[in-house]
Amino acid sequence: MIMSSVYQSTRDPKLKATSREAILKGLAPDGGLYIWPQMAENPIDLEKICSSDYMQTAQTVLGKLLPDFTEEEIRECVKGAYTDNFDDPALTPVQDVDGVQVLELFHGPTSAFKDMALTILPYLMRTALSDTDEKVMILTATSGDTGKAALSGFEDVEQTAICVFYPDGKVSDIQYRQMATQKGSNTAVFAVRGNFDDCQTRVKELFMDEELNKYAADHQVRLSSANSINIGRLIPQVVYYFDAYRQLVNNGTIQLGDEVSFSVPTGNFGDVLAGYYAKLLGLPVKKFYVASNSNNVLTDFIKTGVYDKNRPFVQTISPSMDILVSSNLERFLYFLSGNDSEQVASWMKQLAEEGRYDIGAENLARMRELFDADFLSDDETRQVIKDVYDKTGVILDPHTAIGYKMAADHKEEGPVVAVSTASPYKFSADVLKSLGIEGLSEWEALHKLDELNQDNLPPRLAELEDLPILHDQKLTADDMKQAVMDACERLYD
Ligand SMILES: *Cc1c(COP(=O)(O)O)cnc(C)c1O
């Protein structure tokens, strides 16, 4: 095994780590994110990709970016994650929808794109733990989607357990049932009185809590997180950019070597950053279109070079993109600035202190060669859902609709892939409202949408209404620490 510490903090080149360590730690000790500065020196053989399949591509990409994992280890992780979990044989099929290539990333266990990474992260973590007796306890605060995808991924994975906290009464009925019916001897789910910020703030405090960390360490448990700053979540997302390209070559839409653009509905900048990584590894990308909702901090940043989070937070019908601080942008800034950690550290300090930084004209010009951005209001998003349905019969979810619109606006300039991040069923009521059908309960809406959508409701959503509730504990934020301690005892006995 090569134990090369190729990863380092975006803010300090002295803080190095192997990919195993980076996966177990999540965040670097100085608050920076782990990156591999020289990753672009290891390009991927595109011709080889085009004659393989999703699993082989995953093996190739993960093999490159996780150099201290053996081939055999990666094969086991890929097999565990992608063999039985997806309801489409292509895993991430591309579909031509009126001249836009829609890349469907929602065929996994929870019907949202976070499954692409959260099905494999638990295997990567367990592999990283394999030379120790240590165990991992994942703590996750969720506003809905991430919690279920993480629970489903970690369910019954050895040496791991997971506690999910969601705001009581503030998630949709479908999301509630997805979490409360979760099976697995290593899972725990808690409704917390308060809002998402209360859950998230408390979880962040728990990671720093000395007493809790000591308690966990005494039980040989390491606290860790499953959010998108972890390289174990980011790297698996690089795979589907290559696989989309392979599909387009194989179905004759493009020829090997042609440039393609990608339009990506964006929140934390993780998905689009994975595309940028694919580009660094040699994928011929012309443009990335960064698509946002009314929380359009990234639109302004990509147009002006000024990142300014000092603005009202808006609740939209694309809630997974309701974000004002896009954590993964820091990794892009590192590469954009020419691997200048000091510069990145200074921008991040300004962001923490003033909520704002300016990357300057030169960096802006360089960014704009590859990136463009736009945003849609909720009303505009509903209009896109209706127009696409009327014209093609395809029903898009609100997140996907935003990216689709940007792709459609640029489809005359060359082939463009719109990344589809969620099944419309997860947002049935809002989708139906866009189509002019209102006043249904969430479950009625789900079945009505199934009627309109050729009866293709995934069984895992259909069965939810009848599954037994397995998690019904309600807590205050103050009780969360004790809940994690109890879970350490209970889930690891
Ligand atoms: C998380 C999520 C996004 C945003 O992805 P980022 O990686 O945070 O940019 C978009 N759409 C859906 C449905 C999501 O769940």
Side-chain angles (χ1 to χ4, degrees):
M1 196 189 311
I2 321 158
M3 290 301 280
S4 48
S5 299
V6 297
Y7 282 84
Q8 67 182 51
S9 167
T10 40
R11 302 181 194 178
D12 184 351
K14 291 192 296 299
L15 297 174
K16 299 221 185 290
T18 62
S19 63
R20 289 169 116 85
E21 288 162 351
I23 285 171
L24 292 177
K25 283 186 184 154
L27 210 61
D30 63 345
L33 308 190
Y34 282 114
I35 35 101
W36 180 2
Q38 286 82 31
M39 64 180 271
E41 291 163 23
N42 293 277
I44 284 188
D45 180 350
L46 205 55
E47 204 173 333
K48 190 175 139 206
I49 293 290
C50 288
S51 58
S52 60
D53 61 15
Y54 197 96
M55 308 264 282
Q56 286 169 315
T57 302
Q59 177 85 30
T60 306
V61 171
L62 270 63
K64 283 271 185 217
L65 295 178
L66 305 173
D68 51 306
F69 282 64
T70 67
E71 233 180 279
E72 186 51 34
E73 284 172 337
I74 289 182
R75 189 168 308 116
E76 286 303 308
C77 293
V78 168
K79 202 169 103 196
Y82 300 129
T83 305
D84 291 325
N85 274 324
F86 290 75
D87 68 13
D88 190 292
L91 275 80
T92 58
V94 175
Q95 199 195 157
D96 186 311
V97 179
D98 194 26
V100 171
Q101 309 301 318
V102 174
L103 171 64
E104 297 181 354
L105 302 183
F106 55 73
H107 291 281
T110 76
S111 303
F113 100 99
K114 297 198 166 59
D115 288 329
M116 298 317 304
L118 280 166
T119 46
I120 195 165
L121 176 69
Y123 291 97
L124 296 172
M125 279 194 171
R126 202 181 117 204
T127 308
L129 287 168
S130 59
D131 13 341
T132 74
D133 295 330
E134 243 187 318
K135 291 165 282 191
V136 161
M137 171 67 79
I138 302 292
L139 305 183
T140 299
T142 182
S143 56
D145 278 350
T146 303
K148 175 60 187 184
L151 283 163
S152 161
F154 281 93
E155 174 186 337
D156 288 331
V157 175
E158 280 167 46
Q159 279 180 285
T160 75
I162 176 165
C163 292
V164 167
F165 302 94
Y166 69 89
D168 188 23
K170 304 250 172 20
V171 300
S172 78
D173 206 30
I174 291 175
Q175 289 171 326
Y176 161 70
R177 287 203 147 255
Q178 278 190 313
M179 292 189 279
T181 60
Q182 176 64 47
K183 298 199 196 77
S185 59
N186 65 339
T187 62
V189 180
F190 305 98
V192 179
R193 292 188 195 95
N195 59 30
F196 171 61
D197 273 338
D198 300 327
C199 296
Q200 167 130 303
T201 308
R202 188 70 188 127
V203 165
K204 283 185 181 159
E205 285 167 8
L206 292 182
F207 281 122
M208 311 297 247
D209 188 284
E210 258 178 57
E211 185 194 11
L212 180 61
N213 276 288
K214 177 160 187 326
Y215 181 90
D218 288 347
H219 292 71
Q220 283 202 309
V221 173
R222 178 202 280 263
L223 303 178
S224 192
S225 103
N227 67 22
S228 70
I229 48 136
N230 194 310
I231 65 162
R233 260 192 72 179
L234 182 61
I235 290 169
Q237 296 180 179
V238 178
V239 178
Y240 51 76
Y241 284 90
F242 280 101
D243 190 68
Y245 192 90
R246 172 190 67 82
Q247 291 185 58
L248 295 183
V249 169
N250 290 344
N251 71 18
T253 307
I254 59 168
Q255 306 222 312
L256 183 65
D258 286 353
E259 285 192 323
V260 173
S261 296
F262 289 90
S263 179
V264 190
T266 305
N268 232 341
F269 208 77
D271 199 356
V272 65
L273 183 81
Y276 178 71
Y277 274 26
K279 162 113 182 150
L280 290 180
L281 293 169
L283 189 71
V285 178
K286 186 173 166 200
K287 280 265 168 172
F288 289 107
Y289 299 113
V290 177
S292 300
N293 61 28
S294 295
N295 296 293
N296 57 355
V297 59
L298 282 168
T299 315
D300 290 346
F301 172 66
I302 288 168
K303 287 187 186 298
T304 67
V306 177
Y307 196 100
D308 189 350
K309 73 166 180 123
N310 302 308
R311 60 181 74 207
F313 175 86
V314 188
Q315 255 184 323
T316 73
I317 60 169
S318 44
S320 300
M321 294 154 66
D322 291 346
I323 284 179
L324 291 179
V325 177
S326 301
S327 322
N328 267 301
L329 189 63
E330 179 168 347
R331 288 192 164 103
F332 171 65
L333 294 173
Y334 175 85
F335 290 105
L336 180 71
S337 67
N339 302 12
D340 189 342
S341 324
E342 265 179 56
Q343 179 64 77
V344 174
S346 146
W347 285 331
M348 290 304 114
K349 187 157 177 279
Q350 289 169 48
L351 181 65
E353 287 168 4
E354 299 148 42
R356 183 183 188 283
Y357 59 87
D358 182 345
I359 61 170
E362 255 176 61
N363 285 317
L364 173 62
R366 219 163 333 132
M367 174 163 72
R368 291 203 51 94
E369 284 169 18
L370 188 59
F371 288 85
D372 200 357
D374 209 343
F375 76 100
L376 295 189
S377 69
D378 279 355
D379 281 344
E380 290 168 325
T381 306
R382 289 190 192 98
Q383 191 62 47
V384 174
I385 294 172
K386 179 164 190 341
D387 291 347
V388 173
Y389 179 66
D390 288 347
K391 191 158 182 205
T392 69
V394 173
I395 301 178
L396 303 176
D397 98 280
H399 306 76
T400 303
I402 296 175
Y404 181 91
K405 176 66 165 61
M406 263 205 101
D409 287 347
H410 294 276
K411 69 180 178 188
E412 308 305 334
E413 296 156 34
V416 49
V417 174
V419 177
S420 176
T421 50
S423 155
Y425 292 114
K426 288 206 89 167
F427 305 93
S428 296
D430 280 316
V431 168
L432 280 180
K433 194 173 163 199
S434 312
L435 303 179
I437 304 168
E438 290 187 57
L440 301 181
S441 78
E442 216 170 324
W443 298 99
E444 290 164 349
L446 193 70
H447 294 293
K448 179 74 194 164
L449 192 60
D450 190 25
E451 267 174 58
L452 295 179
N453 207 15
Q454 295 146 11
D455 294 324
N456 66 3
L457 178 61
R460 277 184 272 215
L461 290 181
E463 72 184 12
L464 275 180
E465 217 177 336
D466 304 317
L467 288 179
I469 299 291
L470 301 175
H471 305 272
D472 59 1
Q473 236 182 308
K474 290 188 190 191
L475 304 174
T476 64
D478 288 340
D479 301 330
M480 282 166 62
K481 180 163 152 184
Q482 190 59 48
V484 174
M485 290 180 174
D486 293 347
C488 279
E489 298 273 354
R490 185 162 49 85
L491 301 179
Y492 279 124
D493 67 1

